[in-house]
Amino acid sequence: MADSSEYIVIVGAGAAGLMAARELARAGRRVTILEARDRCGGRIHPLPAAQFGYPADGGAEFVHGEAPVTRGLMREAGLSLQEIEGTQWSFDGTKLSREDRDNPHEAELQAVLRELKDDLTVADFLRRHFADDDYARMRHSIARMVEGYDAADPERASTLALREEWMDGGHSPQGRIVGGYGALIDFLAAECRRHGVAIRLGCVVSAIEQGGSAVSVRCAGGDAHACDRVILSVPLPLLREIALPQTARVKAAAADQIGFGNVIKILLRFKRPWWRDRRAELADMTFLLSDETIPVWWTQRPFAHAVLTGWFGGPRTAKLAKLDTQALVDAGLDSLAAMFGLSRENIARDVVAAAAINWAQDPFARGAYSWATPQTRAAQAILARADGPVLFSGEALYRGRDMGTVEAALASGLETAVTILQGL
């Protein structure tokens, strides 16, 4: 077993960092978390309840699938899950209609997926097996799911990694934490402090230095923290911005084989849920899909908040990279106007609060979440090796189906802590 007197510094107070810190501190390790932001949570970004009428999420919002680690933590915190209810709609450029999820080629797709042995990118998979014009609608639907839901590039994304998602039609159970993900982070941070973890906010780590068995973590302000081990639980792009010892730098290079996608998220609060006035059936609407600039929108059903959330994920978000918050809000209003046959001005008159987050422009994230390429599993194995004082943790290292989720981050943080505690 590892020495219980060892001192561990964790870089990043997101879900993975907090989870690892709590487990290590509960086992008697001395732990300090260095967080660049002025808050905990990372890409979990709660917005003020006064702004939107409830604790809205500017980052991660949904709990996907079974999520056993997340649900276990929720039980500890006394938090409940509200499952998503309602109908899904789509806009085809001319009219709104209930989303038709029937795929006439579903059986053929499932058969090809079952027989697939060697991995290839999604784009290559579709070109190889479904290139005919008859499959055009299915190709479009799959590409939209890969780019939007997974924030991935079809030209690089792994087909085998996404196979299980497709096999259930891409509709695994989803829900929201009542009180938002921020409530879960508040619980974890309080747990960490209760067990003696020191959480230092506003500490931007610039370098990790190693001399023999000694390790030092340096912050941009000049502070240095000597320790026995370091856990890096930051988003993948930030690994390039931290100077690392040679061994850790070689391992970190493997991160280039893991995809990392962007998301633009827009929240609009209105005086009233005006979309229900357009058509009575829309009172039950949860998701609305289109090919507009901001292509995906959802309501807060079953809650009656007059809020619409817009979502744009994947490599095409780069075309909006230079837009400021107001320009992104305007793009969202334009998309809604096109779908509902209204003017932007008509919709804008009812807006009482708005927020737009382009995660690629966040200096401490550089994007939203990870996704798998055909080379990712090998890269994860390299990064997960505990063969030195610098360890890596986070949603990008999770090898299960829900890579890229909060569940993945929590599970990875737990795994990293167990690795240290077992002296592996």
Side-chain angles (χ1 to χ4, degrees):
M1 298 294 287
D3 184 356
S4 61
S5 67
E6 67 182 339
Y7 175 37
I8 300 162
V9 170
I10 298 175
V11 182
L18 291 171
M19 192 68 171
R22 185 182 79 146
E23 294 307 304
L24 291 166
R26 287 203 300 193
R29 305 303 188 270
R30 187 160 66 96
V31 181
T32 293
I33 300 177
L34 303 177
E35 168 55 49
R37 303 179 191 274
D38 60 0
R39 60 173 179 82
C40 295
R43 287 162 283 169
I44 292 174
H45 179 27
L47 301 173
Q51 187 177 11
F52 289 96
Y54 68 100
D57 286 302
E61 179 171 344
F62 298 103
V63 177
H64 302 276
E66 297 303 319
V69 181
T70 303
R71 291 173 188 255
L73 201 59
M74 286 173 58
R75 285 191 293 273
E76 288 187 56
L79 298 171
S80 60
L81 188 74
Q82 176 63 59
E83 292 192 1
I84 303 302
E85 301 174 2
T87 55
Q88 187 163 296
W89 290 69
S90 62
F91 176 68
D92 64 4
T94 59
K95 67 180 185 302
L96 288 169
S97 59
R98 290 182 187 269
E99 174 79 355
D100 179 9
R101 299 187 181 185
D102 291 334
N103 173 10
H105 307 293
E106 184 68 25
E108 188 176 357
L109 173 64
Q110 302 273 345
V112 175
L113 286 170
R114 277 193 295 271
E115 294 300 318
L116 192 64
K117 298 294 189 295
D118 298 322
D119 204 359
L120 66 166
T121 69
V122 170
D124 284 342
F125 171 80
L126 294 175
R127 282 191 287 261
R128 182 176 300 182
H129 297 284
F130 300 101
D132 292 350
D133 290 344
D134 289 348
Y135 302 114
R137 181 184 168 197
M138 185 180 75
R139 290 197 305 271
H140 176 74
S141 177
I142 289 174
R144 183 168 67 178
M145 184 192 306
V146 171
E147 292 185 359
Y149 182 80
D150 299 292
D153 182 352
E155 294 290 347
R156 292 189 62 213
S158 160
T159 299
L160 288 182
L162 293 171
R163 175 165 60 182
E164 188 176 351
E165 180 181 314
W166 296 358
M167 294 290 277
D168 75 1
H171 304 296
S172 61
Q174 294 189 90
R176 294 185 185 90
I177 298 173
V178 177
Y181 264 118
L184 196 67
I185 290 299
D186 289 345
F187 171 75
L188 256 185
E191 280 281 284
C192 285
R193 292 187 173 102
R194 185 168 71 86
H195 290 288
V197 176
I199 301 177
R200 299 193 55 183
L201 304 176
C203 295
V204 180
V205 171
S206 58
I208 297 172
E209 300 168 352
Q210 181 179 355
S213 60
V215 187
S216 181
V217 182
R218 296 197 175 275
C219 298
D223 291 347
H225 300 263
C227 58
D228 298 299
R229 293 182 193 252
V230 179
I231 299 173
L232 278 169
S233 65
V234 299
L236 293 183
L238 297 188
L239 294 179
R240 306 185 190 101
E241 301 180 17
I242 300 173
L244 299 174
Q246 173 64 20
T247 303
R249 189 165 65 248
V250 171
K251 287 170 63 177
D256 290 341
Q257 302 303 317
I258 302 175
F260 195 80
N262 186 39
V263 163
I264 294 171
K265 192 172 185 181
I266 300 169
L267 291 92
L268 301 174
R269 181 185 181 186
F270 299 93
K271 297 175 185 176
R272 58 190 174 82
W274 53 265
W275 52 94
R276 299 181 191 174
D277 300 337
R278 303 293 292 173
R279 288 177 63 170
E281 307 99 303
L282 293 178
D284 195 37
M285 180 179 74
T286 50
F287 289 90
L288 173 57
L289 311 180
S290 75
D291 288 323
E292 296 299 317
T293 300
I294 307 300
V296 180
W297 292 86
W298 61 75
T299 66
Q300 290 296 309
R301 275 198 53 80
F303 301 111
H305 304 295
V307 174
L308 290 175
T309 299
W311 176 275
F312 183 24
R316 290 187 298 160
T317 58
K319 67 184 181 183
L320 305 184
K322 296 182 180 179
L323 298 186
D324 61 16
T325 296
Q326 186 56 54
L328 289 173
V329 169
D330 288 342
L333 292 171
D334 285 337
S335 297
L336 289 172
M339 288 187 284
F340 286 95
L342 299 168
S343 68
R344 182 211 291 182
E345 293 70 25
N346 188 309
I347 297 176
R349 277 196 295 269
D350 271 351
V351 174
V352 296
I357 303 98
N358 183 350
W359 281 98
Q361 301 304 314
D362 185 303
F364 304 125
R366 308 294 188 197
Y369 48 83
S370 59
W371 44 270
T373 71
Q375 296 78 35
T376 287
R377 297 305 182 222
Q380 288 174 323
I382 292 171
L383 285 161
R385 288 203 307 256
D387 53 359
V390 180
L391 288 78
F392 299 86
S393 188
E395 44 86 17
L397 272 66
Y398 183 67
R399 303 190 201 190
R401 168 182 172 176
D402 293 318
M403 175 185 176
T405 63
V406 176
E407 170 71 10
L410 293 170
S412 178
L414 188 59
E415 289 171 357
T416 304
V418 169
T419 295
I420 291 174
L421 295 174
Q422 292 182 346
L424 301 178

